[in-house]
């Protein structure tokens, strides 16, 4: 049982590090005009996937994929809601980064790609960590 808890802790640390890396890359992607804006949307979805993995570490990957996509899609569709109070929130840095500003159908594709990248990175990392054990 202690080994299982230790592995969950190590995995959570890995996900935390991945979350921080993706946040930094996402913020940097907005600083350089040469990087297309959709890259930030892809990275945002990748970060959401890793947050789901961090929070729901014992759940299967499929659960986390679905949870991340539901969250990302819900945030995107919430941008169609234009009440004054939420528009004011969207004009803050936090609101822009978390809630976004305007609905785009193309963002939904970016979210699917971003979550897919998260799953792919996770598979690559798990294969390399298994190879290190032998």
């Amino acid at each position: 049982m202690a080994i299982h808890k230790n592995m969950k802790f190590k995995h959570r640390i890995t996900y935390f590090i991945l979350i921080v890396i993706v946040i930094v890359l996402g913020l940097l992607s907005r600083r350089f005009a040469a990087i297309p804006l959709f890259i930030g949307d892809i990275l945002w979805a990748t970060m959401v996937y890793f947050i789901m993995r961090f929070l729901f570490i014992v759940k299967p990957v499929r659960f986390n994929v679905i949870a991340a996509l539901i969250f990302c899609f819900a945030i995107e569709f919430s941008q169609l809601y234009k009440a004054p109070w939420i528009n004011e929130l969207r004009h803050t840095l936090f609101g822009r980064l978390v809630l976004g500003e305007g609905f785009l159908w193309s963002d939904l594709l970016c979210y699917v790609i971003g979550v897919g990248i998260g799953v792919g990175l996770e598979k690559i990392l798990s294969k390399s960590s298994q190879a290190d054990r032998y």
Side-chain angles (χ1 to χ4, degrees):
M1 187 69 157
I3 293 173
H4 183 65
K5 283 185 180 184
N6 191 28
M7 288 303 292
K8 282 195 320 187
F9 178 75
K10 284 183 180 181
H11 286 295
R12 277 212 165 97
I13 294 296
T14 300
Y15 290 124
F16 179 78
I17 291 167
L18 289 168
I19 291 164
V20 171
I21 290 169
V22 174
I23 288 171
V24 169
L25 291 174
L27 292 173
L28 287 174
S29 77
R30 299 293 192 204
R31 304 277 291 161
F32 300 102
I35 298 174
L37 289 176
F38 72 86
I39 297 298
D41 297 319
I42 290 171
L43 290 168
W44 186 80
T46 304
M47 176 203 66
V48 169
Y49 173 74
F50 288 139
I51 289 171
M52 293 299 173
R53 290 298 284 158
F54 180 88
L55 294 174
F56 305 110
I57 198 155
V58 296
K59 296 283 190 183
V61 170
R62 174 181 277 175
F63 173 90
N64 287 283
V65 166
I66 293 169
L69 288 174
I70 288 172
F71 182 83
C72 290
F73 281 35
I75 293 292
E76 190 65 26
F77 280 105
S78 78
Q79 294 170 15
L80 295 171
Y81 181 64
K82 299 292 185 185
W85 70 270
I86 199 163
N87 284 340
E88 285 181 32
L89 183 59
R90 287 185 182 118
H91 291 299
T92 66
L93 178 61
F94 173 79
R96 263 194 326 274
L97 292 175
V98 176
L99 300 175
E101 294 182 273
F103 177 85
L104 292 173
W105 285 104
S106 59
D107 285 352
L108 301 177
L109 176 60
C110 290
Y111 301 153
V112 171
I113 292 168
V115 170
I117 288 171
V119 172
L121 283 172
E122 184 177 22
K123 285 186 179 194
I124 290 168
L125 290 173
S126 69
K127 283 182 184 178
S128 69
S129 70
Q130 288 175 355
D132 289 343
R133 290 185 205 153
Y134 300 107

